[in-house]
Amino acid sequence: MTNPLPENPRAPIEAMIRDGDLEGLLMKAGELHGHFCPYVALGVRAGYAALKTLGIERNLGMEEVIAIVEANNCFSDGIQMTTGCSFANNALIYHDLGKTAVTVAKRDGEHSAKAQAVRVAVRADYSTSFDERYPEAHELFEKIVTNREEPTPEEQARLSELWAETSYRQLDVPEEEVFTIEKKEIDLPAYAPIHDSAVCSVCGESVMETKARLRAGEPVCIDCAGAERYVLDGSGMWVR
Protein backbone atom coordinates (compact mmCIF):
# COMPACT_ATOMS: atom_id res chain seq x y z
CA MET A 1 0.00 0.00 0.00
CA THR A 2 1.63 3.23 -1.18
CA ASN A 3 -0.79 5.73 0.40
CA PRO A 4 -2.01 5.59 4.01
CA LEU A 5 -5.73 5.10 4.55
CA PRO A 6 -7.59 8.25 5.63
CA GLU A 7 -8.41 8.50 9.31
CA ASN A 8 -11.95 9.57 8.43
CA PRO A 9 -13.12 8.38 4.98
CA ARG A 10 -16.24 10.54 5.29
CA ALA A 11 -14.28 13.77 5.76
CA PRO A 12 -15.08 15.15 2.26
CA ILE A 13 -18.80 14.46 2.77
CA GLU A 14 -18.78 15.98 6.24
CA ALA A 15 -17.09 19.10 4.82
CA MET A 16 -19.97 19.36 2.34
CA ILE A 17 -22.45 19.12 5.21
CA ARG A 18 -20.66 21.86 7.18
CA ASP A 19 -20.55 24.06 4.07
CA GLY A 20 -24.16 23.38 3.05
CA ASP A 21 -22.94 22.00 -0.29
CA LEU A 22 -26.13 20.20 -1.34
CA GLU A 23 -24.99 19.87 -4.96
CA GLY A 24 -21.84 18.09 -3.85
CA LEU A 25 -23.87 15.77 -1.64
CA LEU A 26 -26.25 15.03 -4.51
CA MET A 27 -23.28 14.13 -6.74
CA LYS A 28 -22.09 11.64 -4.11
CA ALA A 29 -25.59 10.22 -3.73
CA GLY A 30 -25.78 9.76 -7.50
CA GLU A 31 -22.65 7.60 -7.30
CA LEU A 32 -24.45 5.32 -4.88
CA HIS A 33 -27.86 5.37 -6.55
CA GLY A 34 -26.57 4.97 -10.10
CA HIS A 35 -28.43 7.96 -11.52
CA PHE A 36 -29.97 11.23 -10.46
CA CYS A 37 -33.63 11.42 -9.55
CA PRO A 38 -35.78 13.85 -7.57
CA TYR A 39 -36.28 11.62 -4.55
CA VAL A 40 -32.57 10.96 -4.14
CA ALA A 41 -32.22 14.74 -3.96
CA LEU A 42 -35.02 14.95 -1.41
CA GLY A 43 -33.27 12.25 0.63
CA VAL A 44 -30.08 14.32 0.57
CA ARG A 45 -32.00 17.37 1.74
CA ALA A 46 -33.87 15.46 4.45
CA GLY A 47 -30.69 13.91 5.81
CA TYR A 48 -28.95 17.28 5.73
CA ALA A 49 -31.86 19.00 7.50
CA ALA A 50 -31.89 16.37 10.26
CA LEU A 51 -28.13 16.51 10.81
CA LYS A 52 -28.08 20.31 10.93
CA THR A 53 -31.05 20.42 13.33
CA LEU A 54 -29.30 17.97 15.67
CA GLY A 55 -25.91 19.66 15.29
CA ILE A 56 -24.27 16.46 13.96
CA GLU A 57 -21.17 17.07 11.85
CA ARG A 58 -19.35 13.75 12.15
CA ASN A 59 -20.36 10.10 11.89
CA LEU A 60 -17.72 7.37 12.04
CA GLY A 61 -20.23 4.65 11.17
CA MET A 62 -20.15 2.95 14.57
CA GLU A 63 -23.89 3.20 15.33
CA GLU A 64 -23.63 6.51 17.21
CA VAL A 65 -25.88 8.11 14.59
CA ILE A 66 -28.92 6.15 13.46
CA ALA A 67 -31.43 6.81 10.69
CA ILE A 68 -34.86 5.17 10.60
CA VAL A 69 -36.31 5.18 7.09
CA GLU A 70 -39.95 4.41 6.41
CA ALA A 71 -39.82 3.36 2.75
CA ASN A 72 -37.39 1.47 0.52
CA ASN A 73 -37.37 4.02 -2.27
CA CYS A 74 -34.90 6.39 -3.91
CA PHE A 75 -35.16 8.75 -0.93
CA SER A 76 -33.32 6.21 1.22
CA ASP A 77 -30.12 6.36 -0.86
CA GLY A 78 -29.94 10.12 -0.31
CA ILE A 79 -30.34 9.46 3.40
CA GLN A 80 -27.59 6.83 3.43
CA MET A 81 -25.07 9.02 1.64
CA THR A 82 -25.71 12.13 3.71
CA THR A 83 -26.02 10.58 7.17
CA GLY A 84 -23.49 7.77 6.69
CA CYS A 85 -26.02 5.26 8.04
CA SER A 86 -26.34 1.98 6.16
CA PHE A 87 -27.62 -1.55 6.67
CA ALA A 88 -24.03 -2.78 6.70
CA ASN A 89 -22.92 -0.56 9.58
CA ASN A 90 -26.14 -1.35 11.51
CA ALA A 91 -27.16 2.31 11.69
CA LEU A 92 -29.90 2.28 9.03
CA ILE A 93 -33.18 0.91 10.38
CA TYR A 94 -36.12 0.11 8.12
CA HIS A 95 -39.74 0.52 9.19
CA ASP A 96 -41.93 -0.76 6.38
CA LEU A 97 -44.53 2.04 6.51
CA GLY A 98 -44.47 3.22 2.90
CA LYS A 99 -43.85 6.86 3.88
CA THR A 100 -41.12 9.05 2.43
CA ALA A 101 -39.73 10.02 5.82
CA VAL A 102 -36.71 9.54 8.05
CA THR A 103 -35.98 9.91 11.75
CA VAL A 104 -32.36 10.67 12.68
CA ALA A 105 -30.94 10.46 16.19
CA LYS A 106 -27.55 10.48 17.92
CA ARG A 107 -26.68 8.37 20.95
CA ASP A 108 -25.64 10.35 24.02
CA GLY A 109 -23.67 7.41 25.39
CA GLU A 110 -23.25 3.65 25.19
CA HIS A 111 -26.00 2.96 27.72
CA SER A 112 -28.50 5.64 26.70
CA ALA A 113 -31.99 4.25 26.11
CA LYS A 114 -33.54 7.39 24.65
CA ALA A 115 -32.34 10.18 22.40
CA GLN A 116 -33.45 13.46 20.93
CA ALA A 117 -34.33 12.93 17.30
CA VAL A 118 -35.64 14.71 14.24
CA ARG A 119 -38.24 13.27 11.87
CA VAL A 120 -38.26 14.75 8.37
CA ALA A 121 -41.11 13.80 6.03
CA VAL A 122 -41.91 14.88 2.48
CA ARG A 123 -45.16 16.82 2.53
CA ALA A 124 -48.09 15.03 0.90
CA ASP A 125 -49.08 18.10 -1.12
CA TYR A 126 -45.54 18.36 -2.47
CA SER A 127 -45.51 14.72 -3.60
CA THR A 128 -48.96 14.80 -5.19
CA SER A 129 -48.25 17.98 -7.17
CA PHE A 130 -45.04 16.65 -8.73
CA ASP A 131 -46.65 15.76 -12.05
CA GLU A 132 -48.11 19.26 -12.33
CA ARG A 133 -44.74 20.91 -11.78
CA TYR A 134 -42.83 18.61 -14.14
CA PRO A 135 -45.38 17.33 -16.68
CA GLU A 136 -42.94 16.13 -19.36
CA ALA A 137 -40.78 14.26 -16.86
CA HIS A 138 -43.89 12.73 -15.28
CA GLU A 139 -45.27 11.58 -18.63
CA LEU A 140 -42.03 9.88 -19.64
CA PHE A 141 -41.60 8.31 -16.20
CA GLU A 142 -45.12 6.86 -16.34
CA LYS A 143 -44.48 5.39 -19.77
CA ILE A 144 -40.98 4.01 -19.28
CA VAL A 145 -40.77 3.16 -15.56
CA THR A 146 -44.32 2.74 -14.28
CA ASN A 147 -45.87 1.04 -17.32
CA ARG A 148 -42.63 -0.60 -18.57
CA GLU A 149 -43.31 0.42 -22.16
CA GLU A 150 -40.40 0.18 -24.59
CA PRO A 151 -38.98 3.69 -25.05
CA THR A 152 -37.25 5.05 -28.10
CA PRO A 153 -33.57 5.94 -27.56
CA GLU A 154 -34.60 9.59 -27.69
CA GLU A 155 -37.24 9.11 -25.00
CA GLN A 156 -34.81 7.27 -22.74
CA ALA A 157 -32.19 9.98 -23.13
CA ARG A 158 -34.77 12.71 -22.54
CA LEU A 159 -36.01 11.06 -19.34
CA SER A 160 -32.46 10.83 -18.01
CA GLU A 161 -31.90 14.48 -18.84
CA LEU A 162 -35.15 15.64 -17.25
CA TRP A 163 -34.68 13.44 -14.19
CA ALA A 164 -31.25 14.97 -13.56
CA GLU A 165 -32.62 18.47 -14.06
CA THR A 166 -35.51 17.93 -11.66
CA SER A 167 -33.10 16.42 -9.12
CA TYR A 168 -31.11 19.62 -8.95
CA ARG A 169 -34.28 21.72 -8.82
CA GLN A 170 -35.22 19.98 -5.57
CA LEU A 171 -32.23 21.59 -3.90
CA ASP A 172 -33.63 25.11 -4.34
CA VAL A 173 -37.25 24.69 -3.22
CA PRO A 174 -37.87 26.33 0.18
CA GLU A 175 -37.59 23.74 2.94
CA GLU A 176 -41.01 24.52 4.39
CA GLU A 177 -42.65 23.73 1.04
CA VAL A 178 -41.03 20.31 0.85
CA PHE A 179 -40.85 18.91 4.39
CA THR A 180 -42.48 18.70 7.74
CA ILE A 181 -39.78 18.64 10.42
CA GLU A 182 -40.56 17.43 13.92
CA LYS A 183 -38.28 17.22 16.95
CA LYS A 184 -39.06 14.25 19.17
CA GLU A 185 -37.61 11.82 21.70
CA ILE A 186 -37.29 8.20 20.64
CA ASP A 187 -36.39 4.87 22.21
CA LEU A 188 -33.00 3.82 20.88
CA PRO A 189 -32.44 0.34 19.50
CA ALA A 190 -29.76 -1.71 21.20
CA TYR A 191 -26.36 -1.89 19.58
CA ALA A 192 -26.19 -4.68 17.02
CA PRO A 193 -25.03 -7.92 18.68
CA ILE A 194 -22.00 -9.80 17.38
CA HIS A 195 -22.84 -13.44 16.66
CA ASP A 196 -20.61 -16.45 16.10
CA SER A 197 -20.79 -18.34 12.84
CA ALA A 198 -21.70 -21.95 12.21
CA VAL A 199 -20.92 -24.15 9.20
CA CYS A 200 -23.90 -25.60 7.37
CA SER A 201 -23.67 -29.40 7.49
CA VAL A 202 -25.21 -29.65 3.99
CA CYS A 203 -23.59 -26.99 1.78
CA GLY A 204 -20.52 -26.30 3.93
CA GLU A 205 -20.96 -22.53 3.87
CA SER A 206 -20.52 -20.30 6.89
CA VAL A 207 -23.77 -18.93 8.33
CA MET A 208 -24.57 -16.61 11.23
CA GLU A 209 -25.29 -18.88 14.18
CA THR A 210 -28.64 -17.24 14.93
CA LYS A 211 -29.80 -17.89 11.35
CA ALA A 212 -28.87 -21.58 11.33
CA ARG A 213 -31.43 -24.33 11.85
CA LEU A 214 -30.79 -27.70 13.48
CA ARG A 215 -31.33 -30.97 11.64
CA ALA A 216 -30.40 -34.17 13.48
CA GLY A 217 -28.42 -32.00 15.86
CA GLU A 218 -26.33 -30.43 13.07
CA PRO A 219 -26.50 -26.80 11.88
CA VAL A 220 -28.20 -26.23 8.53
CA CYS A 221 -28.54 -22.90 6.73
CA ILE A 222 -31.98 -21.52 5.84
CA ASP A 223 -31.60 -22.40 2.15
CA CYS A 224 -30.66 -26.01 2.79
CA ALA A 225 -33.41 -26.30 5.43
CA GLY A 226 -35.98 -25.02 2.95
CA ALA A 227 -37.21 -22.66 5.66
CA GLU A 228 -39.03 -19.35 5.34
CA ARG A 229 -36.96 -16.18 5.27
CA TYR A 230 -37.63 -12.44 5.37
CA VAL A 231 -37.17 -10.66 2.05
CA LEU A 232 -36.84 -6.94 1.38
CA ASP A 233 -37.42 -5.98 -2.25
CA GLY A 234 -39.33 -3.39 -4.24
CA SER A 235 -42.58 -4.57 -2.67
CA GLY A 236 -41.35 -3.97 0.88
CA MET A 237 -40.77 -6.55 3.59
CA TRP A 238 -42.42 -9.96 3.26
CA VAL A 239 -41.94 -13.61 4.19
CA ARG A 240 -40.94 -15.99 1.42
Side-chain angles (χ1 to χ4, degrees):
M1 182 181 298
T2 56
N3 296 315
L5 292 174
E7 178 183 350
N8 177 14
R10 276 183 52 83
I13 294 172
E14 289 167 359
M16 293 175 191
I17 293 170
R18 287 193 299 272
D19 296 340
D21 183 3
L22 294 177
E23 287 194 8
L25 291 170
L26 179 55
M27 287 291 293
K28 297 299 293 183
E31 293 177 13
L32 172 66
H33 193 61
H35 63 271
F36 296 109
C37 75
Y39 276 79
V40 166
L42 293 179
V44 165
R45 289 197 65 182
Y48 172 80
L51 293 176
K52 296 300 284 186
T53 301
L54 292 169
I56 298 172
E57 292 188 347
R58 195 173 196 199
N59 179 11
L60 297 179
M62 298 297 286
E63 298 182 63
E64 63 261 86
V65 177
I66 63 167
I68 304 168
V69 293
E70 300 178 19
N72 57 321
N73 57 12
C74 306
F75 180 83
S76 297
D77 274 353
I79 296 297
Q80 287 189 76
M81 180 56 69
T82 306
T83 65
C85 300
S86 73
F87 289 128
N89 64 25
N90 297 310
L92 186 68
I93 298 167
Y94 176 58
H95 289 185
D96 192 11
L97 302 177
K99 295 183 178 182
T100 306
V102 64
T103 299
V104 177
K106 186 177 189 299
R107 298 183 193 273
D108 294 327
E110 186 174 347
H111 301 294
S112 55
K114 292 183 178 292
Q116 295 302 308
V118 174
R119 183 177 185 267
V120 184
V122 177
R123 295 175 59 94
D125 55 352
Y126 192 79
S127 292
T128 55
S129 63
F130 186 86
D131 56 334
E132 298 173 5
R133 293 194 305 275
Y134 311 110
E136 185 184 1
H138 172 73
E139 182 179 350
L140 285 171
F141 184 86
E142 285 292 302
K143 175 180 179 177
I144 298 170
V145 180
T146 303
N147 299 327
R148 304 296 179 184
E149 297 178 23
E150 187 68 29
T152 66
E154 293 77 16
E155 287 175 328
Q156 186 67 65
R158 182 59 176 158
L159 176 60
S160 297
E161 178 185 18
L162 288 171
W163 230 223
E165 288 178 5
T166 55
S167 297
Y168 279 87
R169 289 184 187 180
Q170 305 316 302
L171 304 182
D172 298 323
V173 183
E175 191 173 85
E176 63 272 15
E177 292 184 21
V178 184
F179 301 119
T180 59
I181 300 178
E182 174 191 7
K183 293 182 179 180
K184 57 194 299 186
E185 185 178 70
I186 66 168
D187 294 321
L188 288 169
Y191 281 95
I194 305 300
H195 296 293
D196 291 332
S197 294
V199 176
C200 175
S201 59
V202 177
C203 68
E205 293 182 349
S206 179
V207 57
M208 189 185 298
E209 194 173 54
T210 56
K211 299 299 181 182
R213 305 292 185 263
L214 285 178
R215 180 184 293 169
E218 295 293 331
V220 179
C221 71
I222 290 175
D223 275 339
C224 291
E228 291 183 337
R229 80 286 308 276
Y230 291 104
V231 175
L232 173 62
D233 61 17
S235 302
M237 184 72 74
W238 56 287
V239 177
R240 177 179 170 184

